[in-house]
Amino acid sequence: MRRNLLAILAGAIALSAGPALAQQGSITLRDRLVVVSSSSSASLTQAVIGAFVERYEGVPAPITSAPGSTHALELFCSGVGPQTPDLAVVTRRMPRAIQETCAANGVRDIVELQVGLGAVVLVARRGEAIQGLTTRHVWEALAAERPHEEEFVPNTARLWSEVAPTLPRSEIRVIVPEEGSGTRALFDDLVLESGCRHAKPIRLIFEAHYRRSKCVTLRNDPRVTAVDSGDVVAALLAAPPGTLAVVSYDQMLASGGNLVPLPLDGVTPSPATIGSLDYDPARTFYLYAKRQHSRNQQGVGVVRGIREFMLEVTSEHAGGPGGYLSAAGLVPLAPADRAAQRRIAERQSLMSR
């Protein structure tokens, strides 16, 4: 999968850059930035690109691709040179294993920026919301197996009231993003694992991998429908009454009020609860930049504009209160944190962890 994505992206870079790739003695080897992203940060990425192109007149629009957080980071870490991405915008911090892949492929000078906050949310159509849901309820409703008398049994629950008597006697129907998307990964980590970690049968499992599989393996029946991350909202709007869906906070905002967020564990997602991290399924948007692609002191490099792109992302008119990224679902970092990220962008300080 990674090889196929890399081949497709390399082809797009070659077609767009044209003769510039062959000019090895020129100042830069490519005439435009290449940005990969997660699907749930695609709208944020496009908003930054629009402002970036508008601010720097005459700059070609960056080449973009949104293969998902994991694949985006794998592409970013695939090597150094004009056929590889310059920047990655994702919804998960780069794991240690992918850092090691970066290092093995020669990608060692990496700048890490926190762009702002977002969240994964459970939504319903207006007028169809379920009250009183907890992450434990969600896990027990959707997991392939439910705990019963300290053992696991196949999940046959049909109604929410079978999960908890306080919930309505309505059918369990939930649409989730397919595996591989940033939103699905966050849902697995922040909702399903959060909901299962305190179940006694889970605590008794010694092996971490087996424990996680019990938490995030979903039932394979009509109660759960997995679709492409970008198609979740359309699928929900076409689904039977009472259906719920898992989306990113920016997807909910983009629905124009057609979708309403459900409180989880008594907290409704909002800019205030996400910004304060009172809403547990909150996440940070990260940008990774390949400093090795910037021009060196001799004026030679892969591409121009990496530092300028980072400065645009961390500017107040982008990620500050009322900034244009708020329309893409971004919740600003605290003032001191925003200032710290701008300093990193200005100095192109390397990631150290």
Side-chain angles (χ1 to χ4, degrees):
M1 173 70 78
R2 187 184 67 81
R3 289 193 184 96
N4 291 340
L5 286 168
L6 185 58
I8 293 169
L9 185 62
I13 294 170
L15 287 172
S16 300
L21 285 174
Q23 298 173 4
Q24 298 295 317
S26 65
I27 292 177
T28 55
L29 305 180
R30 192 176 351 99
D31 68 349
R32 65 189 68 205
L33 293 168
V34 175
V35 186
V36 290
S37 71
S38 65
S39 55
S40 57
S41 61
S43 59
L44 180 148
T45 303
Q46 290 300 326
V48 175
I49 286 174
F52 174 74
V53 172
E54 184 177 341
R55 170 172 288 203
Y56 299 99
E57 186 176 352
V59 172
I63 302 166
T64 61
S65 175
S69 285
T70 300
H71 293 316
L73 289 174
E74 288 175 347
L75 290 169
F76 179 83
C77 289
S78 61
V80 176
Q83 302 289 359
T84 65
D86 310 301
L87 301 139
V89 184
V90 293
T91 50
R92 303 184 77 190
R93 198 174 194 193
M94 184 183 288
R96 176 65 63 182
I98 295 185
Q99 288 182 53
E100 292 170 356
T101 300
C102 263
N105 291 332
V107 184
R108 296 185 176 87
D109 294 349
I110 302 171
V111 180
E112 178 188 75
L113 290 174
Q114 294 181 30
V115 180
L117 299 165
V120 58
V121 299
L122 205 61
V123 297
R125 287 174 297 205
R126 185 166 296 282
E128 298 178 5
I130 295 177
Q131 300 300 319
L133 275 179
T134 67
T135 51
R136 176 66 178 266
H137 294 153
V138 175
W139 171 62
E140 288 204 34
L142 305 188
E145 296 180 322
R146 290 180 64 191
H148 178 70
E149 296 180 356
E150 300 186 7
E151 294 184 350
F152 290 96
V153 298
N155 192 352
T156 60
R158 185 175 64 87
L159 305 176
W160 286 104
S161 56
E162 295 175 49
V163 175
T166 56
L167 298 178
R169 288 183 55 82
S170 57
E171 292 201 33
I172 297 169
R173 291 195 189 94
V174 181
I175 299 169
V176 301
E178 289 179 335
E179 292 185 5
S181 73
T183 304
R184 173 62 180 271
L186 288 163
F187 178 67
D188 289 351
D189 292 349
L190 303 178
V191 178
L192 295 179
E193 283 210 72
S194 175
C196 81
R197 69 167 61 102
H198 299 301
K200 187 174 181 180
I202 293 290
R203 296 201 309 270
L204 294 175
I205 297 174
F206 178 75
E207 187 181 346
H209 177 75
Y210 183 53
R211 189 166 58 242
R212 177 173 167 81
S213 71
K214 289 293 187 185
C215 291
V216 303
T217 302
L218 301 183
R219 54 197 297 181
N220 185 23
D221 61 27
R223 302 292 154 199
V224 178
T225 303
V227 302
D228 183 87
S229 180
D231 296 332
V232 172
V233 173
L236 175 59
L237 295 176
T243 304
L244 308 181
V246 175
V247 300
S248 61
Y249 186 66
D250 56 298
Q251 283 179 304
M252 184 207 71
L253 291 181
S255 74
N258 290 317
L259 306 182
V260 295
L262 306 186
L264 279 178
D265 300 313
V267 181
T268 301
S270 68
T273 60
I274 294 169
S276 64
L277 298 179
D278 289 333
Y279 180 71
D280 282 340
R283 46 59 181 305
T284 301
F285 287 99
Y286 288 93
L287 181 143
Y288 291 95
K290 204 175 288 181
R291 199 174 76 174
Q292 287 154 290
H293 279 196
S294 295
R295 288 181 298 173
N296 58 22
Q297 291 181 346
Q298 288 71 45
V300 178
V302 171
V303 69
R304 298 175 62 185
I306 292 176
R307 181 174 180 271
E308 290 78 3
F309 194 91
M310 291 192 292
L311 291 174
E312 177 63 34
V313 168
T314 56
S315 66
E316 282 293 288
H317 78 277
Y324 64 80
L325 290 181
S326 60
L330 190 81
V331 176
L333 298 170
D337 294 333
R338 297 200 303 273
Q341 298 308 305
R342 277 195 295 277
R343 286 194 295 272
I344 292 172
E346 289 166 356
R347 301 168 184 172
Q348 296 192 71
S349 304
L350 297 182
M351 178 174 68
S352 58
R353 61 180 177 88

